[in-house]
Amino acid sequence: MASIIKAMQQDQQHTAQPFDLIVVGAGIIGLATAYRALEQGLKVMVIERNSRPVGASIQNFGHACFTGQADELQAMVAKSREGWASASKDAGFWAAQPGTLIPATSEVEMSVLEEFADHRGVEQVTLLSPGEVEQRLGHNHLKPVGGALLPLDMRVNPREAAPKLAQWLEAQGVIFQWNTTLRSTADGVVDTSRGQWEAQRVVVCPGVNLSYLMPEIAQAEQVRSCTLSMALVERPEHIASDFCMLSGTSLARYDGFSAMASVPELRRELQQREPELVECIANLMVTAIPEGLLVGDSHDYHDSPTPFIEESIATLLQNKAAAYLGVKGLRVKQRWQGTYADSPATNLVIHRPDQKTLVAVVASGIGMTLSFGLAAHILSEC
Ligand SMILES: Cc1cc2nc3c(=O)[nH]c(=O)nc-3n(C[C@H](O)[C@H](O)[C@H](O)COP(=O)(O)OP(=O)(O)OC[C@H]3O[C@@H](n4cnc5c(N)ncnc54)[C@H](O)[C@@H]3O)c2cc1C
């Protein structure tokens, strides 16, 4: 009873307080926005329908793939890098720059990397010899023709970063309304499952849930769900504890690489060499976290995806990753189907339904990468 009275008193107190900013969604986009707002001295409330972050922001690789993004996004990712660095220091979560390794297993893959190195310069792309790739892989079974290291990319542990950032923000005085669902918002008033609050500005970051929360915006921007097959596997001893690797499929996928002249040829090669990876729209990559290696992923697009993980796809990704890692098999500790918002029309959904409301959704698998840069943009726009 005492706790119910305390909760009611807290609710009343919060209702009485004018907020400068209400953020809806405690995924990385909402939390990064709250972090930037706190930096500006704003009084902030975060509304989240779950009791902790459990969305796309904890389901991913924890790979801030700054270098692989399109040229037009480089200013935003530079701000994001700076934000991740300062937030990790403040909130006390791991963020490192071990560099992204991209082994080239064919001459065409190497051509793409060489073109990319020419385009971006040595500060962003270090070309590697076959021996240097083997040294970084910790084995000599792959027989790479060369490779590259992207030294400016960052790594975080996705299971740690958002939860720790939320905890830290709460300790700094940001009010969190957990287990509270936004129903609608207009002109600075949010209507939730626990009542109404008001703020000068409201930023809505619902991720893939945009589709049921604001279906008109989702429909206009062609937002759909993308589901991905993921696994946590035991890390073989020879693989570094901060390991981070992309593959040829990643070169065909990320906008920065895929703008290179040899990519159409790479796509033809992948179709011939590994049609099963092309079929499941794979972006084969591996990152290390303390619990093991994160291995994925495939892509499937639907407005209402089924929850089932296709075992043949999960096994395919696992076996392909094992070949890169120089082992016969990998012991799987966990599997899950990740989900993020996607749109074939845009990478970023930014809408202003009214003067006081801004809706922001990353509609591609790059939300960790853009987060803190996007947050700065959100606050300058609303
Ligand atoms: C398997 C996988 C791998 C990925 N790999 C990478 C990667 O390597 N690099 C990268 O940059 N990105 C990656 N991504 C993409 C990245 O994870 C997402 O783009 C990013 O996490 C989106 O953050 P978000 O805050 O918008 O969404 P979320 O983390 O999903 O957060 C949205 C939050 O809003 C809350 N919410 C929704 N509706 C309401 C409501 N009505 N009321 C209250 N709360 C609500 C939800 O509960 C949720 O907590 C990957 C994603 C997946 C799934």
Side-chain angles (χ1 to χ4, degrees):
M1 180 55 119
S3 64
I4 293 173
I5 292 171
K6 193 171 167 218
M8 284 170 67
Q9 283 169 343
Q10 269 178 355
D11 276 357
Q12 279 162 7
Q13 191 191 358
H14 296 161
T15 313
Q17 288 173 335
F19 290 97
D20 297 314
L21 178 71
I22 291 179
V23 176
V24 179
I28 199 61
I29 306 301
L31 293 173
T33 304
Y35 178 81
R36 294 291 196 187
L38 191 69
E39 275 182 338
Q40 295 180 7
L42 302 185
K43 187 164 180 49
V44 185
M45 173 189 263
V46 176
I47 292 174
E48 165 58 51
R49 67 179 182 156
N50 289 295
S51 62
R52 55 185 178 151
V54 288
S57 302
I58 69 154
Q59 300 166 8
N60 61 62
F61 289 96
H63 183 221
C65 182
F66 302 130
T67 317
Q69 303 312 317
D71 292 353
E72 311 84 81
L73 284 178
Q74 288 303 309
M76 184 179 281
V77 301
K79 280 197 188 138
S80 195
R81 182 186 297 111
E82 167 264 302
W84 272 114
S86 64
S88 64
K89 240 184 242 159
D90 286 339
F93 59 82
W94 178 73
Q97 232 173 284
T100 305
L101 176 66
I102 314 180
T105 58
S106 74
E107 294 298 341
V108 183
E109 289 181 3
M110 196 62 210
S111 299
V112 175
L113 291 174
E114 283 164 357
E115 288 160 10
F116 192 59
D118 272 353
H119 180 64
R120 287 287 176 83
V122 285
E123 201 187 296
Q124 291 194 33
V125 187
T126 311
L127 292 176
L128 303 176
S129 67
E132 287 169 322
V133 174
E134 286 177 344
Q135 199 186 353
R136 287 181 178 275
L137 284 170
H139 69 90
N140 59 7
H141 305 300
L142 185 67
K143 309 290 175 224
V145 301
L149 188 77
L150 311 180
L152 299 185
D153 288 355
M154 270 178 102
R155 284 294 329 287
V156 297
N157 177 352
R159 296 161 183 222
E160 177 199 42
K164 273 211 171 161
L165 181 55
Q167 259 174 23
W168 182 81
L169 288 167
E170 207 158 11
Q172 305 312 303
V174 172
I175 305 293
F176 276 77
Q177 283 292 335
W178 298 105
N179 295 311
T180 304
T181 302
L182 178 77
R183 292 186 183 128
S184 63
T185 180
D187 298 322
V189 178
V190 295
D191 180 30
T192 80
S193 52
R194 288 182 192 267
Q196 292 193 340
W197 286 279
E198 200 170 344
Q200 296 298 319
R201 297 181 279 172
V202 175
V203 173
V204 185
C205 311
V208 73
N209 302 299
L210 179 74
S211 299
Y212 74 78
L213 185 61
M214 295 172 168
E216 306 81 18
I217 298 178
Q219 203 172 346
E221 299 281 3
Q222 301 177 46
V223 173
R224 56 191 181 173
S225 293
C226 175
T227 51
L228 306 86
S229 178
M230 294 286 290
L232 173 72
V233 304
E234 239 168 44
R235 176 168 62 84
E237 263 179 23
H238 62 273
I239 299 296
S241 60
D242 58 0
F243 187 73
C244 175
M245 189 201 80
L246 299 180
S247 69
T249 52
S250 321
L251 297 177
R253 182 168 185 85
Y254 290 111
D255 291 344
F257 309 128
S258 70
M260 299 300 106
S262 293
V263 167
E265 198 186 338
L266 172 63
R267 291 206 172 107
R268 282 192 291 275
E269 180 181 276
L270 287 169
Q271 182 66 59
Q272 272 200 330
R273 191 181 77 198
E274 291 169 300
E276 63 289 5
L277 279 183
V278 176
E279 170 107 346
C280 68
I281 321 177
N283 172 16
L284 183 65
M285 58 184 283
V286 180
T287 59
I289 58 172
E291 296 86 346
L293 296 177
L294 299 170
V295 171
D297 54 22
S298 54
H299 297 81
D300 194 15
Y301 303 98
H302 208 286
D303 53 356
S304 298
T306 58
F308 312 114
I309 294 177
E310 204 59 60
E311 185 55 27
S312 59
I313 292 176
T315 312
L316 170 73
L317 294 168
Q318 200 179 310
N319 291 343
K320 294 283 181 186
Y324 273 92
L325 299 172
V327 290
K328 287 214 172 76
L330 290 162
R331 200 181 81 75
V332 177
K333 296 169 81 177
Q334 293 175 344
R335 287 195 198 286
W336 63 101
Q337 176 167 274
T339 308
Y340 64 68
D342 179 83
S343 165
T346 182
N347 281 344
L348 274 181
V349 173
I350 309 265
H351 264 245
R352 293 206 61 161
D354 62 57
Q355 284 292 314
K356 292 190 171 185
T357 314
L358 189 137
V359 180
V361 172
V362 177
S364 177
I366 55 173
M368 296 294 274
T369 306
L370 299 187
S371 51
F372 286 89
L374 175 60
H377 177 71
I378 288 170
L379 289 180
S380 70
E381 287 290 302
C382 71

